[in-house]
Amino acid sequence: MLAAGSSPSPAAPPPGRAREGMSAYRGAWLAALATAAVVLVITAVAASLVRARLLDAAQERFVTLSAHVTADLRRELVICTEAMRGASGFIASQQSPAGAPPSADAWDRYIARLALEDAQPCLRTLGFAQASGDAFAAPPETPIARLSLLWPLHASAGADGIGTDPETRNALLRAANTAQIALAMRPAHDEESSSDVPRPRVDAFFPVYRDAPPPSQPAERRASLAGFIVARLDTEYLFASVAARTPRTGLEVVAGSPSRVLYPPAETPANLPLPTAFFRRTDVLRFGGETFALTYATRDPSLTAAAEFGTNAFAGSGCAAALAAGAGVLLFGRRRVAPFSDAGARARRSSSTPNEARLMAIVRSSPEAIITIDEAQRIVLFNPMAEQLFRCAATEAIGGPIERFIPERFREAHKAHIEQFGATAAGDRRMGPHRVLTGLRADGEEFPIEASITQFADGEGRKFYTVMLHDATARIEAENELKRSREALRKLSANLQTVREDEKTRIARELHDDLGQQLTALKMDLSSAQQTLEGTPGVAPSALAQLQSMRRLIDSTVASARRIAADLRPVMLDDLGLRPAIEWLINDFTTRYGIEVERRIEPAAFDFSREGATALFRIVQEALTNVALHAEAKHVSVALAVESGRCLLRVADDGRGATTEEVEGRAGNSFGLLGIRERVHLLGGTVSIETAADRGFILTVMLPLAAIQQEEALP
């Protein structure tokens, strides 16, 4: 047997002794089964945790993929908006003083320059509808505007009227009041659809005003209304072209009230998202006053392949470990059967020898190294995997001390650990506080190992310890490589943020200085030309009116350039410092969203480094953006102070708070918080979040002054 030192069995054991032997025999089997069951339960729990973690990682990849598709759709719709905005500017610049639109030839030349047939696949038609009088005061059955220009066909002036159906009329009123693009969705007529089932028709409208920039009040905008840029969007082609980039992911788009399915086409049911998909997610895209619900679903097996493989591999290793542990306990428990009668012993040996042979075969074929020692910590079992792990033959190891395979500096601690474990009633446990120990090969090489230990006693009360060992070198190296790659990614992220800030600064400066100066010079030249023409006899009043319209358009362009430059990077952040930049940001936030902001910004004379000022400004900007998008708050407080060698930034609101998934970054829309954490980590600071449902959101950032202070200002 495995444990040495058994006493010889008596010639004729008494019946009571035989019954004790049978009881010990059954006890050995029960102990082996219990050990194997415990290992299997632990393996099942660990395998389920591993599978859940791998499925979470697959879900995150799917969320990222669907977010990219949503971003592509938003970008395509913005391109269509810019095309309509440009057409609006063209119509406004070409109108006569009487309000007549440009000629069909001028419209043809403008469309030819745009090359819409190649550049804008989602625009099926593009035209201009002229409003007459107070169009919105007319009866509902009266058209709001008359279509006078249309690409690719020309309609005669006033041939077609728009705005007689409720959907279109509401969209036109919304566009006129907001000076923004508006969508109208309604069922298409049979002749407008190429399929047997008519698809919803999506029309887009962009207002054209006689005044530039348009008035600020809705009533004044309606009074200044000249007409609408009218476009029909080919949404079926748009969604199909974007969905084709992810062929293994199904896409369903629903919009309008009542809800209408825009994609996939009704005649191709095979493209519908599968009801038993592995992953499903719904994004919301708001455009033109309408809300698009984008549902993504996939059954791509490549997303779950890692989870299936990892779970199966973990379960297989656990089953092997359970068999090995049970075999070790059974083999040494059988020693209790030895001191019985010769006949009974022979009968029991004859019946148990095949079982022992099978158990020894399991131990020898186990993928884990198995070593058994006695109370004197001498080796009595050394399986082939242990030979391979420690590069030592079993004949050399058995009978020797276990200390041979432990580095000298750990031997005393290991001896005390075994003695303490033997004094307890515990059946098994992990060895080492961090579950990773250091082993010593026969050739003197040290290596990391993971170990678990089990103790049992034979029939004579002697204790034995079975240790299962696993070489952890590969796992430790993988963890170190993961740490190195994580640090490399963080350095890359920091570099990308720096490059992006530099690029934003460069673009903002060029917009503010170069483009702004050129537009100012252009306005001065235009004013000079206008003054010259006003004093020249025979100049048509329409030419002077067109020059005045051009001046207003230049003013609007200058204002847009300044706003874009400020959004990219406020010039005052580099010129005046952090505090004025944050004050401007808070004032702009209050103006845009009407939310009251209480501020307490103390370090007025503090010298921040460029990187520190940029990080704090971007953190405040991201926090206020989250408040505007998600918080539904009525009051916000921003505090910035320097105390005890640290810089404290606190942004709090009284909004709806956030869920645990949103805070921990698992909801798919919390990239802002992730960016804040990365910025703070690069500066050696900490981020804390306090939130609960309907109890507001508090973001607190602590940064060391040494990381954000100017070098010349350091003590």
Side-chain angles (χ1 to χ4, degrees):
M1 303 300 289
L2 297 181
S6 299
S7 61
S9 57
R17 185 77 175 195
R19 286 193 297 270
E20 292 178 4
M22 294 301 296
S23 176
Y25 183 82
R26 288 193 298 270
W29 274 102
L30 290 176
L33 292 175
T35 302
V38 169
V39 176
L40 286 177
V41 170
I42 295 175
T43 300
V45 174
S48 64
L49 294 177
V50 170
R51 177 180 177 84
R53 182 65 188 91
L54 293 176
L55 289 178
D56 286 343
Q59 175 70 25
E60 291 176 2
R61 292 196 298 272
F62 174 68
V63 168
T64 302
L65 177 65
S66 59
H68 289 169
V69 176
T70 302
D72 290 342
L73 289 173
R74 182 180 288 106
R75 182 171 58 254
E76 294 294 336
L77 291 173
V78 169
I79 292 175
C80 296
T81 301
E82 294 303 322
M84 297 182 68
R85 190 186 302 274
S88 172
F90 171 76
I91 294 294
S93 64
Q94 296 292 322
Q95 283 190 31
S96 65
S103 63
D105 292 338
W107 181 252
D108 270 345
R109 291 192 298 271
Y110 176 74
I111 294 296
R113 290 197 302 270
L114 293 181
L116 290 178
E117 293 182 352
D118 299 327
Q120 306 292 339
C122 64
L123 286 180
R124 178 171 293 182
T125 64
L126 185 66
F128 173 69
Q130 185 176 7
S132 57
D134 191 357
F136 295 100
E141 63 273 8
T142 303
I144 292 177
R146 295 286 181 177
L147 190 64
S148 56
L149 297 173
L150 182 65
W151 168 83
L153 301 175
H154 292 300
S156 59
D160 293 327
I162 61 174
T164 55
D165 57 284
E167 292 86 354
T168 303
R169 192 176 187 89
N170 292 336
L172 293 174
L173 180 60
R174 189 167 63 250
N177 288 341
T178 62
Q180 300 293 331
I181 191 171
L183 298 185
M185 279 183 277
R186 56 186 176 85
H189 300 297
D190 293 341
E191 64 273 10
E192 296 177 336
S193 177
S194 59
S195 62
D196 296 335
V197 180
R199 306 298 297 163
R201 171 171 172 171
V202 181
D203 294 327
F205 307 101
F206 194 89
V208 180
Y209 300 99
R210 287 184 289 273
D211 298 327
S216 59
Q217 299 300 321
E220 298 174 353
R221 287 176 177 172
R222 292 195 300 270
S224 178
L225 183 67
F228 299 91
I229 296 296
V230 181
R232 182 178 178 186
L233 302 184
D234 192 348
T235 54
E236 183 175 316
Y237 181 87
L238 169 64
F239 295 128
S241 62
V242 175
R245 303 171 191 172
T246 55
R248 294 184 178 181
T249 300
L251 172 63
E252 184 181 50
V253 183
V254 178
S257 179
S259 299
R260 297 185 176 94
V261 178
L262 300 181
Y263 186 83
E267 65 271 15
T268 56
N271 291 337
L272 287 174
L274 298 173
T276 58
F278 291 146
F279 302 108
R280 184 182 297 272
R281 180 172 184 265
T282 299
D283 274 348
V284 175
L285 176 62
R286 294 179 176 84
F287 179 79
E290 296 290 344
T291 299
F292 297 83
L294 312 173
T295 302
Y296 301 93
T298 183
R299 295 189 63 183
D300 187 357
S302 63
L303 291 174
T304 57
E308 297 297 335
F309 176 79
T311 304
N312 293 336
F314 203 92
S317 299
C319 291
L323 290 175
V329 172
L330 179 61
L331 288 175
F332 287 99
R334 292 285 303 278
R335 294 292 295 176
R336 301 181 60 183
V337 186
F340 302 137
S341 64
D342 292 340
R346 284 195 299 269
R348 283 188 293 275
R349 283 197 296 271
S350 63
S351 62
S352 62
T353 298
N355 293 331
E356 291 181 2
R358 286 193 292 270
L359 290 175
M360 283 302 299
I362 293 173
V363 171
R364 294 182 61 83
S365 62
S366 171
E368 304 290 334
I370 300 177
I371 301 175
T372 299
I373 61 176
D374 57 16
E375 287 183 293
Q377 299 195 20
R378 292 190 173 275
I379 300 173
V380 297
L381 174 67
F382 204 77
N383 78 335
M385 183 54 68
E387 294 179 320
Q388 179 180 346
L389 185 64
F390 290 98
R391 300 172 187 169
C392 178
T395 55
E396 299 178 8
I398 293 177
I402 191 63
E403 291 181 350
R404 176 182 179 181
F405 303 108
I406 302 174
E408 185 175 357
R409 62 185 182 277
F410 299 124
R411 290 175 181 174
E412 291 298 329
H414 173 78
K415 183 177 180 180
H417 176 76
I418 295 297
E419 292 176 352
Q420 180 183 4
F421 176 65
T424 65
D428 58 81
R429 70 166 59 172
R430 285 278 186 177
M431 297 181 67
H434 302 291
R435 298 189 178 182
V436 176
L437 304 175
T438 302
L440 180 65
R441 304 188 198 273
D443 56 8
E445 178 187 352
E446 295 186 3
F447 66 103
I449 57 176
E450 295 175 324
S452 60
I453 184 172
T454 300
Q455 65 169 319
F456 62 95
D458 64 2
E460 299 177 2
R462 293 175 301 180
K463 286 188 177 182
F464 292 90
Y465 306 94
T466 298
V467 184
M468 300 185 64
L469 304 168
H470 177 73
D471 190 350
T473 303
R475 186 177 67 80
I476 298 299
E477 291 179 353
E479 289 179 354
N480 293 335
E481 180 62 26
L482 182 62
K483 291 178 182 178
R484 288 192 293 270
S485 64
R486 184 182 294 113
E487 291 300 323
L489 287 175
R490 280 180 167 168
K491 291 180 181 179
L492 176 61
S493 175
N495 182 65
L496 290 177
Q497 287 183 3
T498 302
V499 171
R500 187 172 69 171
E501 288 294 339
D502 293 342
E503 185 67 11
K504 283 184 176 182
T505 302
R506 182 185 65 80
I507 296 175
R509 291 252 180 221
E510 291 183 0
L511 286 174
H512 185 272
D513 298 340
D514 191 6
L515 182 60
Q517 292 176 3
Q518 293 181 12
L519 289 174
T520 301
L522 181 62
K523 179 181 177 180
M524 294 174 63
D525 293 342
L526 189 63
S527 299
S528 177
Q530 183 179 4
Q531 292 178 359
T532 302
L533 291 177
E534 286 177 352
T536 303
V539 177
S542 61
L544 297 177
Q546 186 173 359
L547 288 176
Q548 183 64 25
S549 177
M550 292 172 65
R551 286 187 60 187
R552 290 194 297 265
L553 186 60
I554 291 175
D555 290 337
S556 177
T557 305
V558 170
S560 298
R562 290 177 178 174
R563 176 181 53 79
I564 294 172
D567 289 340
L568 286 172
R569 183 178 177 89
V571 179
M572 64 179 65
L573 181 59
D574 296 322
D575 295 344
L576 301 180
L578 177 63
R579 180 172 182 175
I582 293 180
E583 292 283 356
W584 169 83
L585 180 64
I586 293 175
N587 293 335
D588 182 69
F589 174 82
T590 301
T591 302
R592 286 190 181 186
Y593 304 105
I595 300 176
E596 180 184 356
V597 179
E598 177 185 353
R599 65 199 78 180
R600 184 171 61 86
I601 305 175
E602 297 180 358
F606 189 79
D607 293 327
F608 290 98
S609 64
R610 185 177 186 274
E611 293 76 10
T614 299
L616 289 170
F617 179 82
R618 293 302 183 194
I619 292 172
V620 175
Q621 187 179 44
E622 183 62 37
L624 293 179
T625 300
N626 287 340
V627 171
L629 295 179
H630 310 295
E632 301 177 4
K634 298 180 180 179
H635 182 271
V636 181
S637 65
V638 178
L640 180 64
V642 174
E643 56 184 25
S644 302
R646 297 178 302 175
C647 180
L648 171 65
L649 173 63
R650 184 177 184 272
V651 181
D653 65 71
D654 58 355
R656 66 179 183 87
T659 63
T660 303
E661 289 76 10
E662 291 172 335
V663 173
E664 295 180 356
R666 300 198 303 265
N669 59 351
S670 57
F671 294 108
L673 291 178
L674 180 61
I676 290 176
R677 288 192 176 100
E678 285 299 317
R679 288 183 183 273
V680 174
H681 174 80
L682 292 174
L683 293 174
T686 59
V687 178
S688 63
I689 294 175
E690 302 175 29
T691 184
D694 299 325
R695 294 188 180 181
F697 192 93
I698 301 176
L699 173 70
T700 304
V701 174
M702 286 281 191
L703 295 175
L705 290 183
I708 61 175
Q709 194 172 5
Q710 289 280 12
E711 293 185 0
E712 58 270 15
L714 292 174

Short mmCIF file of all heavy atoms in Angstrom, two decimals, residues 500 504 585 589 614-630 649 651 669-677 679 697 699:
data_model
loop_
_atom_site.label_atom_id
_atom_site.label_comp_id
_atom_site.label_asym_id
_atom_site.label_seq_id
_atom_site.Cartn_x
_atom_site.Cartn_y
_atom_site.Cartn_z
N ARG A 500 -4.53 64.25 -28.99
CA ARG A 500 -5.84 64.81 -29.31
C ARG A 500 -5.98 66.24 -28.79
O ARG A 500 -6.53 67.11 -29.48
CB ARG A 500 -6.94 63.93 -28.72
CG ARG A 500 -8.32 64.35 -29.16
CD ARG A 500 -9.35 63.35 -28.73
NE ARG A 500 -9.53 63.35 -27.28
CZ ARG A 500 -10.49 62.69 -26.65
NH1 ARG A 500 -11.34 61.96 -27.33
NH2 ARG A 500 -10.57 62.73 -25.33
N LYS A 504 -6.65 69.39 -31.04
CA LYS A 504 -7.78 70.31 -30.79
C LYS A 504 -7.29 71.75 -30.63
O LYS A 504 -7.91 72.69 -31.14
CB LYS A 504 -8.52 69.86 -29.53
CG LYS A 504 -9.42 68.66 -29.71
CD LYS A 504 -10.18 68.38 -28.42
CE LYS A 504 -11.17 67.24 -28.59
NZ LYS A 504 -11.94 67.00 -27.35
N LEU A 585 -17.01 77.75 -18.89
CA LEU A 585 -17.70 76.49 -19.13
C LEU A 585 -19.00 76.42 -18.34
O LEU A 585 -20.04 75.99 -18.86
CB LEU A 585 -16.77 75.33 -18.75
CG LEU A 585 -17.33 73.91 -18.94
CD1 LEU A 585 -17.60 73.65 -20.41
CD2 LEU A 585 -16.35 72.88 -18.40
N PHE A 589 -22.79 76.31 -19.83
CA PHE A 589 -23.68 75.21 -19.44
C PHE A 589 -25.03 75.75 -18.95
O PHE A 589 -26.09 75.24 -19.32
CB PHE A 589 -22.99 74.37 -18.36
CG PHE A 589 -23.85 73.30 -17.77
CD1 PHE A 589 -24.01 72.09 -18.41
CD2 PHE A 589 -24.50 73.50 -16.56
CE1 PHE A 589 -24.80 71.10 -17.87
CE2 PHE A 589 -25.29 72.52 -16.01
CZ PHE A 589 -25.45 71.31 -16.68
N THR A 614 -5.48 70.99 -18.20
CA THR A 614 -6.29 70.31 -19.21
C THR A 614 -7.10 69.18 -18.60
O THR A 614 -8.28 69.00 -18.89
CB THR A 614 -5.38 69.77 -20.32
OG1 THR A 614 -4.68 70.86 -20.93
CG2 THR A 614 -6.20 69.04 -21.38
N ALA A 615 -6.45 68.37 -17.73
CA ALA A 615 -7.15 67.24 -17.12
C ALA A 615 -8.33 67.72 -16.26
O ALA A 615 -9.44 67.18 -16.35
CB ALA A 615 -6.18 66.42 -16.28
N LEU A 616 -8.11 68.74 -15.42
CA LEU A 616 -9.20 69.23 -14.56
C LEU A 616 -10.33 69.83 -15.39
O LEU A 616 -11.52 69.62 -15.10
CB LEU A 616 -8.64 70.26 -13.57
CG LEU A 616 -7.75 69.70 -12.46
CD1 LEU A 616 -7.07 70.83 -11.70
CD2 LEU A 616 -8.55 68.82 -11.51
N PHE A 617 -9.97 70.59 -16.44
CA PHE A 617 -11.01 71.19 -17.29
C PHE A 617 -11.84 70.10 -17.98
O PHE A 617 -13.07 70.17 -18.00
CB PHE A 617 -10.36 72.10 -18.33
CG PHE A 617 -11.35 72.74 -19.27
CD1 PHE A 617 -12.05 73.88 -18.90
CD2 PHE A 617 -11.58 72.20 -20.52
CE1 PHE A 617 -12.96 74.45 -19.76
CE2 PHE A 617 -12.50 72.76 -21.38
CZ PHE A 617 -13.18 73.91 -21.00
N ARG A 618 -11.17 69.07 -18.52
CA ARG A 618 -11.90 68.01 -19.22
C ARG A 618 -12.76 67.20 -18.25
O ARG A 618 -13.84 66.73 -18.62
CB ARG A 618 -10.92 67.09 -19.95
CG ARG A 618 -10.18 67.75 -21.11
CD ARG A 618 -11.13 68.29 -22.15
NE ARG A 618 -10.42 68.86 -23.30
CZ ARG A 618 -10.97 69.62 -24.22
NH1 ARG A 618 -12.26 69.93 -24.12
NH2 ARG A 618 -10.25 70.09 -25.23
N ILE A 619 -12.30 67.01 -17.03
CA ILE A 619 -13.10 66.28 -16.05
C ILE A 619 -14.38 67.05 -15.72
O ILE A 619 -15.47 66.50 -15.67
CB ILE A 619 -12.27 66.00 -14.78
CG1 ILE A 619 -11.15 65.00 -15.08
CG2 ILE A 619 -13.15 65.48 -13.65
CD1 ILE A 619 -10.18 64.82 -13.94
N VAL A 620 -14.24 68.37 -15.49
CA VAL A 620 -15.43 69.20 -15.23
C VAL A 620 -16.35 69.19 -16.44
O VAL A 620 -17.58 69.08 -16.32
CB VAL A 620 -15.01 70.64 -14.86
CG1 VAL A 620 -16.24 71.52 -14.71
CG2 VAL A 620 -14.21 70.64 -13.57
N GLN A 621 -15.79 69.30 -17.65
CA GLN A 621 -16.59 69.29 -18.87
C GLN A 621 -17.35 67.98 -19.02
O GLN A 621 -18.55 67.99 -19.33
CB GLN A 621 -15.67 69.52 -20.08
CG GLN A 621 -16.41 69.70 -21.39
CD GLN A 621 -15.45 69.93 -22.55
OE1 GLN A 621 -14.44 69.25 -22.67
NE2 GLN A 621 -15.75 70.89 -23.41
N GLU A 622 -16.70 66.85 -18.79
CA GLU A 622 -17.36 65.56 -18.92
C GLU A 622 -18.43 65.39 -17.84
O GLU A 622 -19.51 64.84 -18.10
CB GLU A 622 -16.32 64.44 -18.81
CG GLU A 622 -16.89 63.05 -19.00
CD GLU A 622 -17.50 62.86 -20.37
OE1 GLU A 622 -16.94 63.39 -21.34
OE2 GLU A 622 -18.56 62.20 -20.47
N ALA A 623 -18.15 65.85 -16.62
CA ALA A 623 -19.13 65.73 -15.55
C ALA A 623 -20.39 66.55 -15.87
O ALA A 623 -21.52 66.08 -15.67
CB ALA A 623 -18.52 66.18 -14.23
N LEU A 624 -20.22 67.78 -16.36
CA LEU A 624 -21.38 68.60 -16.71
C LEU A 624 -22.13 68.02 -17.90
O LEU A 624 -23.37 68.11 -17.97
CB LEU A 624 -20.92 70.04 -17.01
CG LEU A 624 -20.37 70.82 -15.80
CD1 LEU A 624 -19.93 72.21 -16.24
CD2 LEU A 624 -21.41 70.92 -14.70
N THR A 625 -21.40 67.42 -18.85
CA THR A 625 -22.06 66.76 -19.99
C THR A 625 -22.93 65.61 -19.51
O THR A 625 -24.06 65.42 -19.97
CB THR A 625 -21.01 66.26 -20.99
OG1 THR A 625 -20.25 67.38 -21.45
CG2 THR A 625 -21.68 65.58 -22.17
N ASN A 626 -22.42 64.81 -18.57
CA ASN A 626 -23.22 63.71 -18.02
C ASN A 626 -24.46 64.23 -17.30
O ASN A 626 -25.54 63.62 -17.37
CB ASN A 626 -22.37 62.88 -17.05
CG ASN A 626 -21.35 62.03 -17.77
OD1 ASN A 626 -21.49 61.77 -18.97
ND2 ASN A 626 -20.32 61.62 -17.07
N VAL A 627 -24.33 65.36 -16.60
CA VAL A 627 -25.49 65.95 -15.93
C VAL A 627 -26.55 66.34 -16.96
O VAL A 627 -27.74 66.07 -16.79
CB VAL A 627 -25.05 67.17 -15.09
CG1 VAL A 627 -26.28 67.93 -14.58
CG2 VAL A 627 -24.20 66.73 -13.91
N ALA A 628 -26.10 66.98 -18.06
CA ALA A 628 -27.06 67.44 -19.07
C ALA A 628 -27.74 66.27 -19.78
O ALA A 628 -28.92 66.33 -20.12
CB ALA A 628 -26.34 68.32 -20.09
N LEU A 629 -27.00 65.18 -20.01
CA LEU A 629 -27.55 64.07 -20.79
C LEU A 629 -28.36 63.09 -19.94
O LEU A 629 -29.33 62.51 -20.44
CB LEU A 629 -26.41 63.31 -21.48
CG LEU A 629 -25.63 64.09 -22.55
CD1 LEU A 629 -24.52 63.22 -23.12
CD2 LEU A 629 -26.55 64.55 -23.67
N HIS A 630 -27.96 62.85 -18.69
CA HIS A 630 -28.53 61.74 -17.95
C HIS A 630 -29.18 62.12 -16.61
O HIS A 630 -30.04 61.38 -16.13
CB HIS A 630 -27.45 60.68 -17.67
CG HIS A 630 -26.67 60.28 -18.88
ND1 HIS A 630 -27.23 59.63 -19.96
CD2 HIS A 630 -25.35 60.44 -19.19
CE1 HIS A 630 -26.31 59.40 -20.87
NE2 HIS A 630 -25.15 59.89 -20.43
N LEU A 649 -11.44 68.18 -6.41
CA LEU A 649 -12.49 68.60 -7.33
C LEU A 649 -13.75 67.80 -7.01
O LEU A 649 -13.71 66.57 -6.95
CB LEU A 649 -12.06 68.35 -8.78
CG LEU A 649 -13.13 68.58 -9.84
CD1 LEU A 649 -13.58 70.04 -9.87
CD2 LEU A 649 -12.63 68.16 -11.22
N VAL A 651 -17.97 67.56 -8.06
CA VAL A 651 -19.12 67.94 -8.88
C VAL A 651 -20.31 67.12 -8.40
O VAL A 651 -20.26 65.88 -8.42
CB VAL A 651 -18.85 67.68 -10.38
CG1 VAL A 651 -20.06 68.11 -11.20
CG2 VAL A 651 -17.61 68.42 -10.84
N ASN A 669 -22.74 52.79 -21.84
CA ASN A 669 -22.78 54.23 -22.10
C ASN A 669 -22.03 55.01 -21.04
O ASN A 669 -22.34 56.17 -20.77
CB ASN A 669 -24.24 54.70 -22.17
CG ASN A 669 -24.99 54.38 -20.88
OD1 ASN A 669 -24.49 53.69 -20.01
ND2 ASN A 669 -26.20 54.91 -20.77
N SER A 670 -21.05 54.38 -20.40
CA SER A 670 -20.31 55.04 -19.32
C SER A 670 -18.86 55.28 -19.68
O SER A 670 -17.99 55.19 -18.84
CB SER A 670 -20.41 54.19 -18.05
OG SER A 670 -19.92 52.89 -18.29
N PHE A 671 -18.59 55.53 -20.97
CA PHE A 671 -17.22 55.77 -21.38
C PHE A 671 -16.70 57.08 -20.81
O PHE A 671 -15.49 57.26 -20.67
CB PHE A 671 -17.13 55.79 -22.92
CG PHE A 671 -17.42 54.46 -23.54
CD1 PHE A 671 -18.61 54.23 -24.22
CD2 PHE A 671 -16.53 53.41 -23.43
CE1 PHE A 671 -18.89 53.01 -24.78
CE2 PHE A 671 -16.80 52.17 -24.00
CZ PHE A 671 -17.98 51.98 -24.67
N GLY A 672 -17.60 58.00 -20.49
CA GLY A 672 -17.15 59.25 -19.89
C GLY A 672 -16.51 59.01 -18.53
O GLY A 672 -15.43 59.54 -18.23
N LEU A 673 -17.15 58.22 -17.67
CA LEU A 673 -16.56 57.89 -16.37
C LEU A 673 -15.26 57.13 -16.53
O LEU A 673 -14.31 57.32 -15.77
CB LEU A 673 -17.56 57.07 -15.55
CG LEU A 673 -18.82 57.80 -15.08
CD1 LEU A 673 -19.73 56.85 -14.32
CD2 LEU A 673 -18.45 58.98 -14.19
N LEU A 674 -15.20 56.23 -17.52
CA LEU A 674 -13.95 55.50 -17.77
C LEU A 674 -12.84 56.45 -18.17
O LEU A 674 -11.70 56.32 -17.70
CB LEU A 674 -14.18 54.45 -18.86
CG LEU A 674 -12.97 53.60 -19.24
CD1 LEU A 674 -12.49 52.81 -18.05
CD2 LEU A 674 -13.33 52.67 -20.39
N GLY A 675 -13.14 57.44 -19.01
CA GLY A 675 -12.13 58.42 -19.39
C GLY A 675 -11.66 59.25 -18.21
O GLY A 675 -10.47 59.56 -18.09
N ILE A 676 -12.59 59.60 -17.31
CA ILE A 676 -12.20 60.36 -16.11
C ILE A 676 -11.27 59.52 -15.25
O ILE A 676 -10.24 60.01 -14.76
CB ILE A 676 -13.46 60.76 -15.32
CG1 ILE A 676 -14.26 61.84 -16.10
CG2 ILE A 676 -13.09 61.29 -13.94
CD1 ILE A 676 -15.56 62.22 -15.44
N ARG A 677 -11.58 58.25 -15.06
CA ARG A 677 -10.72 57.39 -14.24
C ARG A 677 -9.32 57.28 -14.86
O ARG A 677 -8.32 57.29 -14.13
CB ARG A 677 -11.35 56.00 -14.11
CG ARG A 677 -12.58 55.97 -13.21
CD ARG A 677 -12.96 54.52 -12.90
NE ARG A 677 -14.06 54.45 -11.96
CZ ARG A 677 -15.32 54.24 -12.33
NH1 ARG A 677 -15.62 54.09 -13.60
NH2 ARG A 677 -16.29 54.17 -11.42
N ARG A 679 -7.75 59.47 -16.84
CA ARG A 679 -7.04 60.73 -16.65
C ARG A 679 -6.50 60.86 -15.23
O ARG A 679 -5.34 61.24 -15.01
CB ARG A 679 -7.97 61.91 -16.96
CG ARG A 679 -8.28 62.11 -18.44
CD ARG A 679 -9.15 63.35 -18.63
NE ARG A 679 -9.54 63.55 -20.01
CZ ARG A 679 -8.83 64.19 -20.91
NH1 ARG A 679 -7.65 64.72 -20.56
NH2 ARG A 679 -9.25 64.33 -22.15
N PHE A 697 -25.92 62.49 -7.78
CA PHE A 697 -24.64 61.90 -8.19
C PHE A 697 -23.53 62.85 -7.74
O PHE A 697 -23.58 64.05 -8.01
CB PHE A 697 -24.61 61.74 -9.72
CG PHE A 697 -23.48 60.91 -10.23
CD1 PHE A 697 -23.63 59.56 -10.45
CD2 PHE A 697 -22.25 61.49 -10.49
CE1 PHE A 697 -22.58 58.79 -10.94
CE2 PHE A 697 -21.20 60.73 -10.97
CZ PHE A 697 -21.37 59.37 -11.19
N LEU A 699 -19.36 63.27 -7.78
CA LEU A 699 -18.05 62.84 -8.30
C LEU A 699 -16.96 63.61 -7.57
O LEU A 699 -16.96 64.84 -7.58
CB LEU A 699 -17.97 63.10 -9.81
CG LEU A 699 -16.62 62.85 -10.46
CD1 LEU A 699 -16.31 61.36 -10.50
CD2 LEU A 699 -16.57 63.42 -11.88
#
